[in-house]
Amino acid sequence: MNYFIFGRPRSRTAWTANFLTQHQSFCFHEGLSFYNGSVQSLKRAMPAIPKKYVGNADTGMIHYTQEIIDTFPDARFVVMTGASLSWNIFAQKHVGSEVYKAVEEAYADTKERLRHKALFVDVGDLTSDMETAQRLHDYCNPNSVDPWDLMRYNMLKDLNIQVRPDRLKERLGL
């Protein structure tokens, strides 16, 4: 089974990919960048991962939402919400208004397209509320025989992963 984590920059997609890569699950971070932004190439690559649940947590996917929905109709979708202050501060310092506007428009479109098809997770709750993290884990790994890994969650919950400004425009295809 496949799952996809959508969000803006600074929405903890790198953290989420790390968190979800355990036991029977593997989650790419920025999987589209491994395959030159090609959803079809990612579709061909995912079955080669020897895990029951394979996902991709990727801010660049907001520009490919409908193609991902069409290509993976049975997948599970997650939209990361919140982090707007962090993203706004980052955008003011590192990217221009054109990039900021393109990201915001694509993100709004993604939220609308996935309004009835996705689990929406607030970024702040993900690392401050264990139940939110467990709900995300269980949603992306349904019927998993692997138990909830509290030790892994506790190890990762305070981990802060930063965006590389020099790669942002490239990653977002802008």
Side-chain angles (χ1 to χ4, degrees), residues 102-116:
V103 168
E104 288 301 305
E105 287 174 359
Y107 179 69
D109 180 66
T110 294
K111 287 192 323 185
E112 179 60 27
R113 288 176 191 268
L114 294 174
R115 182 170 34 125
H116 299 297

Side-chain angles (χ1 to χ4, degrees), residues 73-138:
D74 297 325
R76 297 225 167 177
F77 304 106
V78 176
V79 176
M80 304 304 282
T81 64
S84 58
L85 179 60
S86 177
W87 162 236
N88 289 343
I89 292 168
F90 178 87
Q92 287 176 8
K93 184 173 182 180
H94 297 290
V95 300
S97 60
E98 181 180 316
V99 171
Y100 178 80
K101 183 179 177 185
V103 168
E104 288 301 305
E105 287 174 359
Y107 179 69
D109 180 66
T110 294
K111 287 192 323 185
E112 179 60 27
R113 288 176 191 268
L114 294 174
R115 182 170 34 125
H116 299 297
K117 298 177 183 172
L119 174 68
F120 284 72
V121 176
D122 185 276
V123 174
D125 293 344
L126 186 61
T127 56
S128 66
D129 177 35
M130 182 182 70
E131 290 177 6
T132 298
Q134 187 168 3
R135 188 171 44 256
L136 171 66
H137 173 272
D138 294 348

Side-chain angles (χ1 to χ4, degrees), residues 6-167:
F6 295 83
R8 313 174 170 109
R10 304 291 306 139
S11 64
R12 308 222 22 116
T13 56
W15 186 94
T16 303
N18 190 318
F19 171 67
L20 290 172
T21 297
Q22 57 180 304
H23 307 296
Q24 296 182 19
S25 179
F26 177 83
C27 187
F28 286 99
H29 178 246
E30 300 180 354
L32 286 178
S33 68
F34 298 138
Y35 302 102
N36 299 316
S38 168
V39 173
Q40 292 303 318
S41 293
L42 185 60
K43 181 180 181 180
R44 288 189 295 275
M46 290 176 105
I49 305 298
K51 300 287 185 171
K52 184 173 181 178
Y53 308 103
V54 179
N56 184 36
D58 194 329
T59 58
M61 287 191 312
I62 61 175
H63 300 285
Y64 301 92
T65 304
Q66 191 60 52
E67 185 179 356
I68 290 168
I69 292 168
D70 294 344
T71 304
F72 298 92
D74 297 325
R76 297 225 167 177
F77 304 106
V78 176
V79 176
M80 304 304 282
T81 64
S84 58
L85 179 60
S86 177
W87 162 236
N88 289 343
I89 292 168
F90 178 87
Q92 287 176 8
K93 184 173 182 180
H94 297 290
V95 300
S97 60
E98 181 180 316
V99 171
Y100 178 80
K101 183 179 177 185
V103 168
E104 288 301 305
E105 287 174 359
Y107 179 69
D109 180 66
T110 294
K111 287 192 323 185
E112 179 60 27
R113 288 176 191 268
L114 294 174
R115 182 170 34 125
H116 299 297
K117 298 177 183 172
L119 174 68
F120 284 72
V121 176
D122 185 276
V123 174
D125 293 344
L126 186 61
T127 56
S128 66
D129 177 35
M130 182 182 70
E131 290 177 6
T132 298
Q134 187 168 3
R135 188 171 44 256
L136 171 66
H137 173 272
D138 294 348
Y139 179 80
C140 293
N141 297 276
N143 306 313
S144 176
V145 297
D146 296 321
W148 162 249
D149 194 338
L150 179 60
M151 285 179 33
R152 182 163 177 77
Y153 173 73
N154 283 330
M155 179 184 77
L156 294 173
K157 72 179 181 177
D158 294 325
L159 181 64
N160 187 14
I161 301 169
Q162 299 296 319
V163 173
R164 284 185 46 199
D166 59 318
R167 295 236 353 207

